[in-house]
Amino acid sequence: MRVLVTGGAGFIGSHIVTTLRLRGHDPLVLDLVPPDEGEFVRADVRDPEAVRAALRGADAVCHQAAMVGLGKDFADAPAYVSHNDLGTAVLLAAMAESGVRNLVLAGSMVVYGEGRYECPRHGVVRPGPRRVADLAAGRFEPRCPVCDSELAPGLVGEDAPTDPRNVYATTKLAQEHLAASWARCVDGRAVSLRYHNVYGPGMPRDTPYAGVASFFRSSLARGEAPQVYEDGGQRRDFVEVRDVAEANALALEASTPTGACTPYNTGSGTPHTVGEMATALAEAHGGPLPVVTGEFRLGDVRHITADSRRLRTDLGWRPQVDFTAGMTDFAHAAQRPAASAPPASQARGSGGGAPDS
């Protein structure tokens, strides 16, 4: 299969390209920077002519190009919308024109906002955004919106309501809506892999446009203690990048429904707190140990962890790298230098990793 990989020189994209080659496919990278090897088109995904040219002969598209992370402040909003939503619209319009009908999109768990919570009195509830006054006072846990009781966090399924809480999350949800509209219009096949906190070799270093694992690894490389926000009790699902690359390959090869954008949570299935991750990474690196700061960032959510059973059942995906082995490897793996500006190839990251710490 000839696969156009947008953002294929980025963190996750480069691993996808390697995995596609190993599975016998023919990837073509479209990016603003050259990959380490392989066929390459230097272009911005927002350039219609360049995208149309790159699609010639393609059978499918793996769309990883995006601006990731929580960013610095709301002044980043136009750049996020331009890279993520305009870029996706340009790509999908070119696919509609060229006849390419198979798309795998780098989605994100951030579209859910806060995760799944259960109140002992009111069952499953959806807390609103946390109040600044509570965060400033160190009250980080969301409370029941009905009775103010403590809540128990759980796993989020793909049928959970979406509720993006920051600009990046909003653009990722818009990408899914655009992909669904494209699929209906052209009877195409679209899959959104809602990445959880992706980490691993090749994460960018020293940049605000990356996930929490990258922040911590960058600090350790400088000999500094990772700075853990809030109390470190935020629950996340950390999934290794090579497992995410395998999920992309399986999604490209699968016979998913046409005329729709099918979402799949893409996580390890084993939640850990941010504090646990920071400690595991620091210990594997040889220190220094993390420092819990009590600081917070607006737009972060408290707990968000995946139920990835649909991906396992439908596509037969199984993560191969467990938390301890993955963090040990990442503690000594090379990181790539950050670009001077957040490029469209810097795909998740999050979330790529997730945009929180």
Side-chain angles (χ1 to χ4, degrees):
M1 186 189 307
R2 175 75 160 173
V3 182
L4 176 64
V5 184
T6 70
F11 166 47
I12 297 177
S14 60
H15 286 277
I16 292 171
V17 168
T18 298
T19 297
L20 290 175
R21 286 201 191 99
L22 291 174
R23 295 176 73 93
H25 298 296
D26 178 23
L28 167 65
V29 171
L30 185 147
D31 209 315
L32 292 171
V33 296
D36 292 335
E37 60 180 349
E39 196 173 354
F40 164 64
V41 174
R42 184 189 298 275
D44 190 311
V45 75
R46 295 167 294 180
D47 181 342
E49 291 187 10
V51 172
R52 283 195 294 268
L55 283 168
R56 293 189 190 112
D59 301 298
V61 173
C62 190
H63 184 32
Q64 305 297 309
M67 184 173 167
V68 302
L70 194 56
K72 293 179 288 188
D73 52 41
F74 201 82
D76 285 328
Y80 275 102
V81 172
S82 178
H83 282 296
N84 297 357
D85 297 339
L86 176 59
T88 299
V90 169
L91 172 67
L92 293 172
M95 290 176 67
E97 180 181 327
S98 66
V100 179
R101 297 291 182 263
N102 189 2
L103 171 72
V104 174
L105 172 68
S108 175
M109 58 83 182
V110 294
V111 300
Y112 297 118
E114 284 286 353
R116 185 183 189 275
Y117 293 89
E118 191 164 346
C119 172
R121 293 177 57 191
H122 297 100
V124 175
V125 295
R126 293 188 59 79
R130 295 180 292 171
R131 295 179 299 182
V132 174
D134 287 337
L135 295 170
R139 295 187 293 268
F140 301 120
E141 293 291 342
R143 311 284 291 192
C144 176
V146 181
C147 67
D148 202 42
S149 295
E150 292 185 5
L151 300 174
L155 299 181
V156 179
E158 289 89 348
D159 58 351
T162 53
D163 184 17
R165 298 286 175 91
N166 54 61
V167 171
Y168 170 66
T170 302
T171 65
K172 296 307 290 183
L173 183 57
Q175 284 184 313
E176 289 193 2
H177 288 317
L178 286 166
S181 296
W182 166 84
R184 287 191 295 270
C185 286
V186 304
D187 196 31
R189 178 178 289 111
V191 165
S192 177
L193 296 177
R194 290 176 174 171
Y195 301 158
H196 281 245
N197 288 67
V198 185
Y199 72 94
M203 283 195 89
R205 65 172 183 257
D206 301 322
T207 171
Y209 302 95
V212 61
S214 174
F215 297 166
F216 293 165
R217 179 67 178 82
S218 296
S219 294
L220 290 166
R222 297 191 300 269
E224 301 170 1
Q227 303 292 297
V228 179
Y229 282 8
E230 301 186 15
D231 60 0
Q234 309 94 304
R235 285 162 54 96
R236 297 292 186 267
D237 187 321
F238 299 98
V239 59
E240 217 270 354
V241 66
R242 286 163 289 196
D243 285 331
V244 171
E246 187 74 10
N248 275 270
L250 289 171
L252 285 165
E253 296 164 355
S255 297
T256 51
T258 60
C261 181
T262 306
Y264 288 102
N265 288 334
T266 308
S268 71
T270 308
H272 290 274
T273 68
V274 171
E276 288 171 344
M277 187 274 284
T279 299
L281 191 59
E283 288 179 344
H285 188 270
L289 291 177
V291 174
V292 177
T293 68
E295 297 178 36
F296 61 89
R297 297 196 301 177
L298 294 179
D300 278 350
V301 297
R302 180 61 177 176
H303 304 298
I304 177 67
T305 52
D307 181 345
S308 300
R309 285 178 293 180
R310 179 187 289 180
L311 184 59
R312 289 162 168 77
T313 300
D314 288 5
L315 303 187
W317 177 77
R318 297 289 185 278
Q320 301 299 311
V321 183
D322 69 27
F323 178 78
T324 301
M327 287 297 161
T328 299
D329 182 56
F330 181 46
H332 303 284
Q335 288 182 274
R336 65 179 62 211
S340 57
S345 64
Q346 203 176 341
R348 265 294 290 260
S350 284
D356 48 45
S357 58

